[in-house]
Amino acid sequence: MTGIRELVKPDRVHRSVYLDESIFEMEMERIYGRAWIYVGHASQVPEPGDFLTTRIGRQPVVLSRHEDGEIYVLFNRCGHRGAVVCNEAHGNARHFRCCYHGWTFHLNGLIKAVPLQAGYSRDVDFDDPSLGMVRVPRTDTHRGFVFASLAPDGPTLAEYLGPMTRKIDDICDRSPAGEVEVTGGVHRYEFPGNWKAQMENLNDLYHVPHSHESTTSGGRQFRRTGTATGSRLTRKDGSPISFWDRTGVWAFDGGHSYCGRMPDAGPVSREEHPDYVAALEARLGPERAAEVLDADWHNAIIYPNLGLQSMAQHIRVIRPISVDRTEVLVYPMKLRDAPDVLNRTVIRYLNVTHAAASLIQTDDLEAFGRLQRGLPADGSEWVFLGRGLGAEQPLEDDFGYRSEGTHELPLRNQYREWLSYMGEGAN
Amino acid sequence: MAVAESIRDRASTPLSSEAAADFLFMEARLLDERRFEEWRELFTDDGYYWVPARPDQPNPLDEVSIFYDDKDLMETRIKRLRHPRVHAQIPHTRTAHLVTNVLLEPDVPPEAEALVSSKLLVATYRQDQQDVYAGDCRHALRREGGLWRIVWKKVVLINCDAMLKSLFIPF
Ligand code: FES
Ligand SMILES: [Fe+2]
C-alpha cells in the first residue's frame, strides 16, 4: 500500500480509502480507537439498571446506569473467558449475567459473584476491574449526550466538541426544560458502502437537487406542517440551485462542520404555540430563544460518527461494519415539556425523510452504493473533492472557515482530520 | 377499479373469510403488478398504511415507523415511484406478495366493519439481490359505495427492528 500520507491531496483522495480493507482496519484502530465516539443519550437509560448495547467502531459496548445513578460505558465482554454478556439491544437488569459460566457483574462492570469461587486460588482478586466487564478508558457527557473514548489520553470532550457544543445546546434549549429525550424509537438501516460516504453526504449540498430530484423536482422541497394527526407534507416553491450556495457551510478543527438552514425551515410560531415560546423566552431570554427556534444550521457533523439535524431534530449515528457496509441509526429528539404536536411532527417528518422506506434517504443510500461499485473501475484512482478549494473564508469569531453551500470544504476538512489520525507514526 | 369492482358483489353482510381472502389476494396483485394508484384507491379517504419500527409499538404518533402513510403521503410516494429520475428505483424492485393464513378476527375496531388477519411473505428483487420479508398483517375494512375499503392496514414484519435495507414497495 502507498504511504497513508500519499492518499490525501489538497483537492482529492485516493480511492483506496473507500475500498481497502486494511485501511478500514486501521481506521477502526486509529480513528474509532481514539476519537470521542457518541455512544447514546442518558434519556435512553433513565433508571438504575437500565442499559443499552452498541458498538464503538466494531467493539461491543454497554451503556448502563448503575444503582448509584451514574452512567457507565463498559466493554460488552465477560471478564472470565470473553463472551458477550448483554445480548439485548436494551433492557433493565439487577445485574449482568454471563450465559457461559454464570459470572455476574454489577452495572458498573465490577464482579458481583462468581460461581464456585472456592475453586480459584486465593491469590485471584475478584475485585480487580480487569476481571469484570471493563470500563472503556474515558466517558463524558454533555447535556445527556454520552461520549466515550477508547484512548486513555487526548483532548477532553469539551475541547473535542469545540464550537459544536453550541449545536447540541441549540437543540436542548428548544425544550422548556432544557432537555431532549431520545424516546421516539429509531430508524435503523444499512447501505452497501463505506461509512465515510455518509459522513461526507451530511454537509454536501451539491447533491440535493440531483439525488433527490424524484421528490424535490421543480425546485420543490417538502415542508412540514404542524399537524399531529395528518401526515400532510405540503410542498413549497422556490429553492433554485443557487439557493444551496447561499446556504453556506462552516468547517472546524476535529473534522466537524455544519451547513446552513434549509429553505423550508421556519421557526415555531408564537401564534401557534404562545405558551411554549413564552416558556423558552423565560428560560433563555428573547434573543437566545429566537436563536434556538430559528437555528441557522441544518446538519451538524461531529466527526467521526455523529450527525445532528436542527429542522427535524434528530441524532444520526454511523456504525461502520466493514469497508463496504455501514449501519445508520436515526433517533428523533423529543423536546421535554414541549407541546406534543411539535414532537409528533418531527416523528412524522422523519418517517418521510429517514425511514428505511423513506422518500429521501433512500436516494442517498443508492448513491453511496454506486460509489462503492464505481470506484474499483480504473481510469482514475482518485476521488475529486476540489469544489470551492481556495474559496473558504476564515471566520472572525471562531477558529474555522466558511464557504459557499455547494463547496466541498466539509469533505476536505474531514480528510484533514482523517489524515491526522491515520498518519500518526506512518510514512 | 376493476379489481375492487370484481368484489363489489361480495360487499354484502357479513364479510365471509373467502371474500376477505380474495380481497387480500387482489390487493397483493395490484402491488406486484405495480398498479399503485389502484392500490391507493382501496383505502378510505381517512385510511392509512402502517408498518411499525418495533414489534410492540403502541402507536405511529410517538415513535418512528417504517411506513406511516395517509392517502396524501401515498400519493407522493407513488408519484416518486413513477418519476423518470427516481435513481434508487432504476431498475425498479420486483416483488411477489404471498398472502396466507387469512382469518376474520372477532374484535372489530369501531372505525371498521371487519378485521382480517393474515400472514405475509414478500420476496423482493433488484439488481442481483433477492430479499425476503415476512410478517403479520391486519386489515381493518369498511364498506363504502358497495365496496370493501381499507380503513387501515398494519404490517408487523418479523424483522421490523432490524437494520433494514432500503425499501420502496409497500408490503
Ligand atoms: S465466559 Fe462468561 S462466565 Fe465464562
Ligand atoms: Fe441527501
Side-chain angles (χ1 to χ4, degrees), chain A residues 1-8 17 23 26 30 418-419 421-424 426-427:
Chain A
M1 197 216 314
T2 340
I4 286 287
R5 293 195 178 284
E6 305 302 310
L7 302 177
V8 178
V17 308
I23 289 182
M26 212 184 281
R30 296 189 176 180
W418 186 89
L419 196 57
Y421 282 114
M422 296 286 283
E424 206 166 285
N427 51 342

Side-chain angles (χ1 to χ4, degrees), chain A residues 9-27:
Chain A
K9 308 275 185 210
D11 67 345
R12 62 197 67 203
V13 295
H14 193 266
R15 64 179 175 184
S16 57
V17 308
Y18 300 96
L19 299 176
D20 189 318
E21 286 173 25
S22 63
I23 289 182
F24 179 82
E25 294 300 327
M26 212 184 281
E27 288 175 341

Side-chain angles (χ1 to χ4, degrees), chain A residues 24-25 28 32 55 57-58 188-191 193-195 318-328, chain B residues 163:
Chain A
F24 179 82
E25 294 300 327
M28 293 304 102
Y32 283 80
R55 302 191 298 273
R58 283 179 307 175
R188 201 175 155 217
Y189 53 85
E190 65 172 291
F191 66 87
N194 188 269
W195 64 276
I318 284 81
R319 294 203 297 206
I321 297 171
S322 60
V323 71
D324 58 1
R325 193 169 176 226
T326 305
E327 177 182 9
V328 181
Chain B
M163 174 178 75

Side-chain angles (χ1 to χ4, degrees), chain A residues 172-327:
Chain A
C172 297
D173 283 339
R174 282 181 185 174
S175 150
E179 276 175 45
V180 296
E181 292 177 330
V182 183
T183 54
V186 58
H187 287 305
R188 201 175 155 217
Y189 53 85
E190 65 172 291
F191 66 87
N194 188 269
W195 64 276
K196 296 188 291 300
Q198 172 69 92
M199 288 309 280
E200 292 160 12
N201 173 266
L202 284 173
N203 279 177
D204 173 350
L205 297 180
Y206 194 25
H207 83 286
V208 178
H210 307 287
S211 286
H212 303 302
E213 193 182 352
S214 59
T215 307
T216 62
S217 65
R220 284 151 185 265
Q221 173 86 3
F222 279 114
R223 181 180 173 76
R224 55 184 177 149
T225 55
T227 158
T229 50
S231 62
R232 211 161 293 278
L233 289 165
T234 58
R235 289 162 159 212
K236 187 182 169 189
D237 286 324
S239 45
I241 290 184
S242 62
F243 168 84
W244 302 101
D245 261 339
R246 289 200 300 275
T247 298
V249 287
W250 288 258
F252 304 94
D253 279 355
H256 314 318
S257 58
Y258 67 87
C259 59
R261 74 157 82 70
M262 291 294 104
D264 53 342
V268 171
S269 77
R270 187 184 301 272
E271 290 69 47
E272 271 184 282
H273 299 289
D275 296 346
Y276 166 66
V277 174
L280 290 199
E281 287 179 347
R283 194 175 159 270
L284 307 167
E287 207 171 301
R288 175 74 182 145
E291 189 176 86
V292 303
L293 285 171
D294 197 12
D296 63 356
W297 56 280
H298 180 62
N299 272 324
I301 296 172
I302 296 174
Y303 195 76
N305 85 320
L306 176 62
L308 298 174
Q309 194 188 102
S310 76
M311 185 170 70
Q313 63 232 355
H314 65 258
I315 296 168
R316 182 190 321 235
V317 182
I318 284 81
R319 294 203 297 206
I321 297 171
S322 60
V323 71
D324 58 1
R325 193 169 176 226
T326 305
E327 177 182 9

Side-chain angles (χ1 to χ4, degrees), chain A residues 149-170:
Chain A
S149 170
L150 300 184
D153 310 302
T156 65
L157 179 63
E159 287 164 352
Y160 185 83
L161 293 175
M164 306 313 287
T165 312
R166 188 74 164 200
K167 303 293 170 247
I168 296 175
D169 292 344
D170 281 354

